[in-house]
Amino acid sequence: MHFAHPKFLWTLLILIPLIVWYVMKQRNMHATMSISSSAAFARIPRSWKQSLRHLLFILRMAALACLIVVMARPQLRDSWRTTSTEGTDIVLALDVSSSMLARDFDPDRFEAAKQVAAKFISGRESDNIGIVVFAGESLTGVPMTVDRSQLLQYLQNLNMNVLEDGTAIGDGIATSLNRLKEGKAKSKSIILLTDGSNNTGVVAPVTASEVAKELGVKIYTIGIGTNGSAPYPTRTLTGRIEFTPQPVVIDEATLRTIAEITGGKYFRATGNKVLEEVFAEIDALEKTQMDVRHFSHTEDDYMFWAWLAFAFVAIELLLRYTVLRSIP
């Protein structure tokens, strides 16, 4: 247990003079009478109330001690700690445009990608991982972290329509590079998953990949979508969503170029099983020695002592005005 104000604990020393004062008071508070012999009173039994008469003072001192502990603010202290481990810095850049709802995967591309990504993250225990989502713009979902629960929780709660529709692949790469600058591993990678071609954004995909090359970041690109046509979501005039077959168009040339420029690799995932195999292959990324900083927060933990002080006071008052009541 740690204390925010440990100097307050010195106040516990005040209990010593209080105890001395009480002892001296007890010696001088009884009336006396001189008699020739006390033998006649030797067999008078000692009352249990007399045995417990000091309990009231003990309870009051215990309550005071608990209040002093409360003022010292006991805490459950979290802290930074650094550990050395093998790992790599990875950013998962996930396309969340409306076309990811196409149902050529089970149940659709978006959910299939989330499931496989979650499995991938769960298996990379030594890596510093971040999540970036992109559609018509890009957004950092989770900064670089080793907290698997935070990453998995974000993926579980991730929904569509969090961004303006479109496919800004270059912006997704640029945001991922900004996150990777925080990492310390020698091996840095981006896993970019998309089902379309770049049609918006402020950064061209090839330009972003050139910057990644300069920073020593590999980009593994995944084109997700079956060959031929797939049932895409379309909104009718009444606002209802219907799925109609449309040609699958993926800019494989650009995705392959991005991977080649950065020393990564391009994959085409045409089904759930193939997507799993793609992530399994990427799972063989080079590992390197890195320092990981773990953070835990500080939380006050004084309620136990406050309730204990309250209990001591309540018991002391209850006894004082009931079974241990004194009559002047």
Side-chain angles (χ1 to χ4, degrees):
M1 179 181 294
H2 302 273
F3 295 90
H5 308 295
K7 292 183 179 180
F8 274 104
L9 296 178
W10 286 102
T11 313
L12 291 171
L13 294 176
I14 199 175
L15 299 179
I16 297 176
L18 288 176
I19 294 173
V20 172
W21 168 82
Y22 178 79
V23 172
M24 298 299 295
K25 179 183 176 182
Q26 293 299 310
R27 289 180 178 178
N28 301 322
M29 71 179 298
H30 301 291
T32 59
M33 181 177 63
S34 298
I35 59 176
S36 59
S37 174
S38 61
F41 305 98
R43 297 189 179 186
I44 297 178
R46 184 181 180 87
S47 171
W48 62 271
K49 291 184 179 182
Q50 186 179 2
S51 301
L52 292 177
R53 62 191 177 90
H54 302 301
L55 179 60
L56 299 178
F57 177 76
I58 295 173
L59 290 171
R60 183 168 297 184
M61 292 299 98
L64 178 59
C66 289
L67 289 176
I68 293 174
V69 173
V70 170
M71 290 190 297
R73 284 184 61 191
Q75 295 178 330
L76 299 176
R77 179 179 297 176
D78 304 325
S79 60
W80 286 100
R81 61 185 179 90
T82 302
T83 58
S84 182
T85 182
E86 283 194 349
T88 183
D89 291 342
I90 302 175
V91 170
L92 176 63
L94 180 62
D95 188 345
V96 294
S97 59
S98 59
S99 58
M100 286 291 288
L101 292 175
R103 294 184 174 177
D104 50 349
F105 282 66
D106 181 26
D108 54 46
R109 295 174 182 174
F110 180 64
E111 290 298 329
K114 285 171 55 177
Q115 293 171 10
V116 177
K119 182 179 180 181
F120 174 81
I121 290 173
S122 298
R124 305 287 298 194
E125 297 182 356
S126 300
D127 296 324
N128 212 11
I129 299 178
I131 297 177
V132 168
V133 294
F134 66 93
E137 52 189 340
S138 61
L139 173 71
T140 299
V142 181
M144 304 298 294
T145 181
V146 294
D147 188 344
R148 296 292 169 270
S149 61
Q150 182 182 1
L151 292 164
L152 296 175
Q153 185 69 29
Y154 177 81
L155 281 179
Q156 181 180 352
N157 296 331
L158 180 61
N159 295 313
M160 302 294 291
N161 304 319
V162 295
L163 297 171
E164 181 182 350
D165 205 13
T167 306
I169 295 175
D171 288 8
I173 296 174
T175 302
S176 300
L177 291 174
N178 284 332
R179 300 285 71 78
L180 283 171
K181 289 192 299 184
E182 305 168 5
K184 296 183 179 180
K186 295 181 180 179
S187 177
K188 300 178 183 292
S189 308
I190 297 173
I191 303 174
L192 186 141
L193 188 148
T194 182
D195 67 344
S197 57
N198 190 79
N199 55 26
T200 186
V202 297
V203 181
V206 175
T207 301
S209 61
E210 292 287 355
V211 175
K213 178 182 178 181
E214 293 296 323
L215 296 175
V217 177
K218 294 181 181 179
I219 302 179
Y220 294 84
T221 54
I222 304 173
I224 180 171
T226 189
N227 294 315
S229 62
Y232 282 85
T234 56
R235 189 177 297 275
T236 65
L237 295 177
T238 60
R240 189 177 62 178
I241 299 295
E242 292 184 351
F243 289 85
T244 57
Q246 297 180 27
V248 176
V249 180
I250 300 176
D251 190 355
E252 293 191 273
T254 299
L255 295 179
R256 188 175 286 107
T257 299
I258 292 171
E260 290 175 353
I261 289 175
T262 61
K265 188 175 181 179
Y266 169 69
F267 302 89
R268 176 65 184 272
T270 56
N272 292 68
K273 184 62 177 178
V274 178
L275 184 60
E276 292 180 7
E277 293 173 353
V278 167
F279 270 88
E281 183 171 345
I282 296 176
D283 194 41
L285 286 169
E286 175 188 359
K287 296 186 185 331
T288 185
Q289 198 74 17
M290 63 181 293
D291 290 332
V292 179
R293 297 190 73 199
H294 304 269
F295 174 74
S296 53
H297 70 282
T298 299
E299 182 177 353
D300 285 337
D301 188 34
Y302 61 84
M303 287 305 298
F304 168 78
W305 299 98
W307 281 110
L308 196 59
F310 175 80
F312 286 144
V313 172
I315 295 173
E316 193 256 347
L317 291 175
L318 180 64
L319 294 177
R320 180 179 296 277
Y321 293 102
T322 55
V323 295
L324 297 181
R325 180 177 58 184
S326 60
I327 301 176

